[in-house]
């Protein structure tokens, strides 16, 4: 099966987790089937689209591990849309309408009062050439509607199974605004035909659009792609992610030190039958995730789940993978990394944890433990040290004081690290060395 998919963001802001979901699901599908991945910038909204946001989308995708095979910008493809427009007009499928928004609102309100669906009445189809000339002489410019067949449109959805959208219950959609600019629908279909898109994988909020789009594909003589509509990812409160509402962006997660693989896993495996757990790579996810595993129910993002997953990825990260990132933070040393990595939730946490070795550390000493810690200082073994030193030292203290368990170990940890949690003391002791331990014990 030859596969070409596309992800088509609007560069009107930074992408968020909700956007990352279809971006990655399309990538997984392309990788699974050895296909092509097209990044299409839907930048026809000239008022809100910017090159800065478009560049940001490319940066975010690359950080996630997605490298498109082709990048196209709708703003550079207007000639294709103009040709399709002319073809639909010639076929009688695209017709000019002159109603203002207020007039349309009144029509819809009247239909509701009469108990009828508020769909467009196609009054513009009855206009004569003289009527149109008169309206344009009044200063009105037409918007253009696509004449639907008004029939049940069937398609087999990759995720939702057999679907039917009845276009008889829909208004003829506006494809071209009165100012001559295109809405989303026509350029999207034209691009899918021109680029040979075989599968359109997107959020389930687009299911109702599919009937209209299939009719346009057919009217233009293009091959209709296979559609797949996945459940939408929502935030922790069950609300949809939104650029306009300021949802946390992928760039924000990157700046906060999250792992791209953790973001990818949470964005795609939430709301599937697969567990949100570590994977080696995006390709490993692509091999395992079949679209039949995507739930028909909701997919709710859990920040705590992301933190847990991110920590698990860090806890097994080899030094070779971490080395350059450590160097950028002014840190180095495989022994240091292997000791401290299991305490990390996000990579930048290593800066604070490294202070256990380099200082400064403010020892925490309870008054009732001072005598015990003074003895510990006196019994500190001579160097050289290895990972058996801790056991020799604490066994000697246990024999001398009778202390054991928490009463034995916690005062030592608090004095040496200034905190009640942290890495294994038997390993930390070796990296600290005797001089640093003497300095921290009272």
């Amino acid at each position: 099966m030859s596969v070409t998919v596309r992800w088509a963001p609007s560069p009107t802001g930074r992408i968020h987790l909700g956007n990352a979901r279809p971006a990655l699901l399309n990538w997984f599908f392309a990788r699974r089937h050895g296909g092509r991945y097209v990044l299409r910038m839907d930048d026809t909204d000239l008022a809100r689209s910017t090159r800065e946001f478009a560049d940001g989308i490319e940066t975010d995708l690359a950080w996630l591990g997605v490298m498109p095979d082709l990048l196209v910008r709708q703003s550079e493809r207007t000639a294709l849309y103009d040709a399709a427009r002319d073809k639909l007009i010639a076929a009688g499928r695209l017709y000019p309408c002159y109603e203002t928004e207020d007039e349309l609102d009144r029509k819809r309100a009247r239909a509701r009062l009469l108990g009828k669906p508020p769909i467009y009445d196609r009054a513009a189809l009855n206009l004569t050439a003289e009527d149109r000339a008169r309206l344009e002489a009044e200063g009105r410019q037409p918007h253009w509607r696509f004449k639907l067949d008004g029939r049940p449109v069937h398609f087999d959805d990759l995720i939702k199974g057999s679907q039917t959208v009845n276009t008889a219950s829909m208004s003829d959609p506006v494809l071209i605004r009165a100012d001559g600019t295109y809405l989303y629908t026509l350029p999207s279909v034209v691009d899918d035909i021109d680029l040979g898109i075989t599968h359109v994988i997107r959020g389930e909020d687009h299911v109702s659009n599919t009937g209209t789009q299939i009719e346009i594909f057919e009217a233009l003589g293009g091959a209709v792609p296979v559609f797949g509509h996945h459940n939408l990812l929502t935030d922790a409160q069950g609300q949809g992610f939104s650029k306009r509402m300021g949802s946390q962006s992928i760039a924000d997660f990157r700046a906060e030190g999250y792992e791209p693989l953790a973001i990818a896993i949470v964005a795609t495996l939430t709301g599937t039958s697969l567990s949100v757990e570590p994977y080696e790579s995006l390709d490993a996810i692509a091999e395992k995730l079949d679209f039949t595993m995507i739930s028909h129910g909701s997919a709710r993002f859990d920040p705590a789940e992301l933190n847990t997953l991110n920590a698990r990825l860090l806890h097994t990260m080899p030094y070779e993978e971490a080395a350059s990132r450590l160097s950028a933070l002014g840190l180095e040393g495989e022994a240091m990394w292997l000791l401290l990595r299991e305490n990390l939730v996000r990579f930048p946490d290593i800066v604070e944890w490294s202070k256990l070795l380099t200082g400064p550390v403010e020892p925490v000493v309870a008054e009732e433990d001072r005598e015990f810690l003074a003895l510990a200082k006196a019994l500190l073994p001579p160097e050289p040290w290895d990972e058996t030193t801790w056991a020799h030292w604490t066994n000697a203290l246990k024999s001398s004081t009778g202390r054991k368990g928490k009463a034995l170990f916690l005062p030592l940890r608090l004095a040496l690290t200034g905190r009640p949690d942290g890495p294994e003391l038997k390993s930390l002791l070796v990296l600290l060395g005797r001089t640093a331990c003497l300095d921290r014990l009272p």
Side-chain angles (χ1 to χ4, degrees):
M1 177 176 60
S2 175
V3 165
T4 300
V5 299
R6 49 81 165 171
W7 180 57
S10 298
T12 56
R14 298 307 293 258
I15 61 171
H16 48 62
L17 280 174
N19 304 132
R21 187 172 180 84
L24 287 158
L25 289 176
N26 275 282
W27 178 249
F28 294 157
F29 192 78
R31 299 293 285 182
R32 186 181 179 96
H33 296 286
R36 289 200 319 150
Y37 184 100
V38 177
L39 172 59
R40 189 186 80 205
M41 294 291 182
D42 286 4
D43 57 354
T44 54
D45 185 344
L46 300 180
R48 297 175 56 229
S49 297
T50 71
R51 191 56 178 263
E52 179 184 358
F53 286 139
D55 291 344
I57 288 170
E58 289 187 68
T59 298
D60 293 339
L61 276 188
W63 181 72
L64 288 169
V66 174
M67 303 303 293
D69 298 295
L70 177 66
L71 167 64
V72 296
R73 305 180 195 278
Q74 287 193 325
S75 58
E76 300 171 354
R77 298 167 63 81
T78 306
L80 288 172
Y81 314 143
D82 291 346
R85 173 201 63 197
D86 295 344
K87 183 175 182 177
L88 292 176
I89 291 173
R93 296 301 295 272
L94 198 59
Y95 62 95
C97 304
Y98 294 84
E99 296 92 346
T100 66
E101 193 56 46
D102 285 344
E103 289 168 344
L104 291 171
D105 285 342
R106 288 197 293 272
K107 282 189 175 187
R108 287 188 285 263
R110 190 180 308 118
R112 291 189 185 96
L113 285 174
L114 295 173
K116 297 178 180 180
I119 63 175
Y120 181 60
D121 60 8
R122 291 182 168 174
L125 287 173
N126 298 321
L127 295 175
T128 64
E130 290 76 16
D131 292 331
R132 292 194 292 272
R134 175 179 50 78
L135 289 166
E136 291 182 16
E138 294 173 2
R140 297 201 186 200
Q141 294 298 315
H143 55 273
W144 294 77
R145 291 181 183 267
F146 178 75
K147 186 180 178 183
L148 293 166
D149 288 336
R151 60 179 171 85
V153 178
H154 303 281
F155 61 97
D156 289 321
D157 195 286
L158 276 174
I159 298 167
K160 293 183 169 297
S162 180
Q163 299 288 305
T164 299
V165 176
N166 192 347
T167 60
S169 64
M170 303 168 68
S171 290
D172 290 341
V174 177
L175 300 190
I176 307 174
R177 301 180 182 91
D179 64 3
T181 59
Y182 294 98
L183 281 83
Y184 163 83
T185 309
L186 182 60
S188 178
V189 171
V190 171
D191 284 335
D192 286 344
I193 294 171
D194 180 67
L195 298 169
I197 302 302
T198 61
H199 296 76
V200 174
I201 300 160
R202 57 190 183 179
E204 62 189 2
D205 52 331
H206 289 285
V207 169
S208 60
N209 305 335
T210 307
T212 295
Q213 290 170 0
I214 288 175
E215 286 201 18
I216 297 173
F217 274 106
E218 293 171 345
L220 291 173
V224 178
V226 177
F227 290 89
H229 293 92
H230 60 78
N231 52 1
L232 300 179
L233 188 65
T234 67
D235 63 20
Q237 289 71 47
Q239 302 298 312
F241 290 97
S242 167
K243 296 176 189 174
R244 294 188 182 185
M245 297 300 291
S247 295
Q248 189 172 19
S249 69
I250 299 301
D252 292 333
F253 284 113
R254 181 168 65 252
E256 291 171 11
Y258 285 96
E259 298 305 298
L261 188 54
I263 297 298
I265 292 169
V266 166
T268 55
L269 298 191
T270 301
T272 74
S273 59
L274 292 178
S275 298
V276 176
E277 61 185 9
Y279 282 78
E280 291 182 2
S281 64
L282 296 185
D283 282 345
I285 304 172
E287 288 177 10
K288 194 161 187 181
L289 178 63
D290 187 276
F291 281 1
T292 60
M293 299 173 178
I294 297 176
S295 170
H296 293 183
S298 61
R300 183 173 295 194
F301 166 62
D302 181 354
E305 189 171 50
L306 171 61
N307 284 332
T308 298
L309 173 64
N310 203 76
R312 290 178 66 187
L313 289 171
L314 292 173
H315 295 174
T316 58
M317 182 180 289
Y319 177 67
E320 293 73 22
E321 187 177 336
S324 63
R325 296 168 68 181
L326 289 170
S327 180
L329 296 172
L331 301 172
E332 61 180 18
E334 183 172 9
M336 177 272 295
W337 171 251
L338 296 178
L339 172 68
L340 299 178
R341 65 181 180 177
E342 292 192 9
N343 298 278
L344 308 180
V345 175
R346 290 176 285 179
F347 195 91
D349 296 345
I350 191 70
V351 173
E352 192 62 31
W353 281 105
S354 68
K355 293 177 183 177
L356 295 188
L357 300 176
T358 62
V361 166
E362 186 67 35
V364 176
V365 179
E367 195 59 39
E368 61 271 20
D369 292 324
R370 284 193 175 275
E371 185 177 339
F372 166 71
L373 293 171
L375 179 60
K377 189 172 186 175
L379 293 178
L380 197 63
E383 290 181 317
W385 284 0
D386 58 27
E387 291 210 352
T388 67
T389 302
W390 170 258
H392 292 312
W393 184 35
T394 53
N395 284 336
L397 280 168
K398 183 177 180 181
S399 298
S400 299
T401 64
R403 288 196 183 204
K404 58 183 179 179
K406 187 176 180 180
L408 174 64
F409 302 126
L410 184 58
L412 295 173
R413 179 180 287 281
L414 289 171
L416 294 174
T417 69
R419 54 189 303 159
D421 58 343
E424 282 194 356
L425 288 171
K426 70 175 183 179
S427 300
L428 177 65
L429 203 68
V430 178
L431 294 185
L432 272 178
R434 196 170 192 275
T435 299
C437 290
L438 290 172
D439 289 343
R440 295 179 189 187
L441 290 166

